[in-house]
Amino acid sequence: ITGKQILVTGGAGFIGSHLTRALVDENDVRVLDALTTGSRSNVPEEATFIEGDIRDETALERAIDGVDLIFHEAALVSVTRSIDEPTTSHAINVNATLALLEKARDHDARVVLASSAAMYGHPETVPIDETAPKRPTSPYGIDKHTVDQYARQYHEQYGLEVVALRYFNVFGPGQVAGPYSGVISVFLEQALAGEPITVEGDGSQTRDFVYIDDIVQANCLAGTTDAVGRAFNVGTGESVTIRAVAERIQEQTGTDAEIVHVDPRSGDIEHSRADISAARSALGFEPTVSFDAGLEQTLEWY
Ligand code: UD2
């Protein structure tokens, strides 16, 4: 993407900051971020930083005014946190996103929306294609399902150029571990600290882990595609068990940390693996980083 006026919401966070760094050389990029989980130091100098919450309509208006392309990455991203705080999840993931779509409509800006595989819930079969039943098992999944539908609606009703990207499990450098963070960052921190690696449940649950560079690739393709008004899975088409993730991390870090099993997580999805044929054919998306290579690069970041 070149020569565009771009807004990245959540641009100080894990996914948003990688995207901002990829865009900033060839475009005018603004970042809107409340710095609740993101950090200012993630935002490159060349980007214009606006500190503000996407729930604040004044901040949102200021951020959107004058842009022609929006990557909407700001969200409450944790499934567990959404179960603890469903109204906060709804306010951020649904209400603020709807306000953003409305402003994008006013300003005729394209929106690339971070949607999620969490909307599928427990799939009947894997791999999961975009037409699979949607039975989300968490407020987070319900919220992402809702905005994914609004995106399509905004295209059909108002002709807004919208693309929804249904991320599977994203990982990579810059994903900071915490109680609400992605499993790979949690396991890596535990392994490096020599603390027990906490597998929730028996570890037989599977996930399709997609490396951050490929998420950036998908977003850049969505920013210019003609295939607007659609939603695409973004994963690798491969999956691994959580137990295997713990073991790979044990090996790659050379830690003495043991793998322990703790209570399974409520609302947890058993199996998840993307069918990415739609993204391949319509966007030209092709994952480039294997799970092991991605893990190595993530480890180097620590
Ligand atoms: C991730 C994303 C979510 C959404 C979804 C799409 C994060 C934080 N969440 O939710 O935003 O896009 O993927 O599919 O990235 N686990 C352990 N031990 C731990 C932590 C987690 O065993 O210490 C397990 C957990 O029970 C689950 C799996 O690892 O089975 C993945 O958990 P997660 O929180 O990384 O991600 P997920 O799939 O709930």
Side-chain angles (χ1 to χ4, degrees):
I1 302 177
T2 56
K4 297 236 188 264
Q5 301 289 322
I6 297 176
L7 168 65
V8 181
T9 70
F14 165 48
I15 296 175
S17 66
H18 278 273
L19 190 54
T20 301
R21 283 191 292 273
L23 294 166
V24 86
D25 287 343
E26 316 261 342
N27 302 277
D28 236 330
V29 184
R30 282 180 208 173
V31 163
L32 175 65
D33 200 297
L35 301 181
T36 28
T37 53
S39 75
R40 179 74 177 84
S41 59
N42 278 344
V43 182
E45 287 285 307
E46 302 89 332
T48 305
F49 180 67
I50 303 170
E51 184 172 348
D53 196 297
I54 51 161
R55 286 169 291 183
D56 172 356
E57 293 234 5
T58 316
L60 196 58
E61 176 60 37
R62 189 154 74 89
I64 291 180
D65 187 26
V67 304
D68 36 40
L69 176 57
I70 302 167
F71 293 96
H72 183 41
E73 310 302 317
L76 184 153
V77 298
S78 163
V79 172
T80 307
R81 188 168 167 210
S82 81
I83 293 168
D84 295 341
E85 300 174 57
T87 55
T88 312
S89 176
H90 191 90
I92 296 173
N93 294 336
V94 179
N95 295 346
T97 300
L98 186 55
L100 179 140
L101 287 169
E102 194 57 24
K103 290 193 191 299
R105 182 182 160 207
D106 290 345
H107 292 277
D108 203 20
R110 174 180 293 218
V111 180
V112 179
L113 184 82
S115 182
S116 171
M119 67 191 280
Y120 297 117
H122 299 292
E124 276 158 11
T125 51
V126 290
I128 303 163
D129 73 25
E130 287 81 355
T131 65
K134 318 298 183 291
R135 295 192 208 99
T137 57
S138 63
Y140 177 85
I142 293 172
D143 293 343
K144 288 291 179 177
H145 184 217
T146 304
V147 292
D148 185 290
Q149 304 261 325
Y150 268 123
R152 187 175 41 80
Q153 181 72 190
Y154 267 71
H155 176 71
E156 285 168 7
Q157 297 290 348
Y158 315 120
L160 192 70
E161 294 184 1
V162 190
V163 180
L165 298 178
R166 296 175 183 166
Y167 300 159
F168 280 64
N169 286 64
V170 189
F171 76 107
Q175 189 175 40
V176 182
Y180 292 132
S181 187
V183 64
I184 290 183
S185 65
V186 173
F187 284 179
L188 277 173
E189 288 233 336
Q190 291 171 333
L192 293 171
E195 286 164 7
I197 300 172
T198 54
V199 171
E200 295 170 348
D202 65 4
S204 65
Q205 67 270 40
T206 55
R207 291 293 187 276
D208 182 335
F209 289 100
V210 51
Y211 189 65
I212 184 67
D213 291 6
D214 289 323
I215 291 290
V216 169
Q217 181 205 155
N219 275 280
C220 291
L221 293 166
T224 52
T225 186
D226 292 332
V228 290
R230 294 181 58 183
F232 300 99
N233 287 340
V234 184
T236 63
E238 313 277 333
S239 66
V240 286
T241 67
I242 296 303
R243 175 79 203 187
V245 171
E247 286 166 359
R248 288 299 292 134
I249 286 177
Q250 228 183 7
E251 281 165 32
Q252 286 212 11
T253 56
T255 183
D256 294 332
E258 288 174 274
I259 297 173
V260 298
H261 288 267
V262 299
D263 285 347
R265 181 187 282 187
S266 104
D268 197 33
I269 291 166
E270 190 58 33
H271 297 296
S272 180
R273 176 158 70 90
D275 178 333
I276 55 170
S277 10
R280 274 201 170 104
S281 60
L283 301 177
F285 172 73
E286 195 58 55
T288 55
V289 183
S290 70
F291 179 69
D292 281 345
L295 204 53
E296 241 165 73
Q297 292 186 48
T298 309
L299 194 52
E300 272 172 32
W301 172 73
Y302 280 91

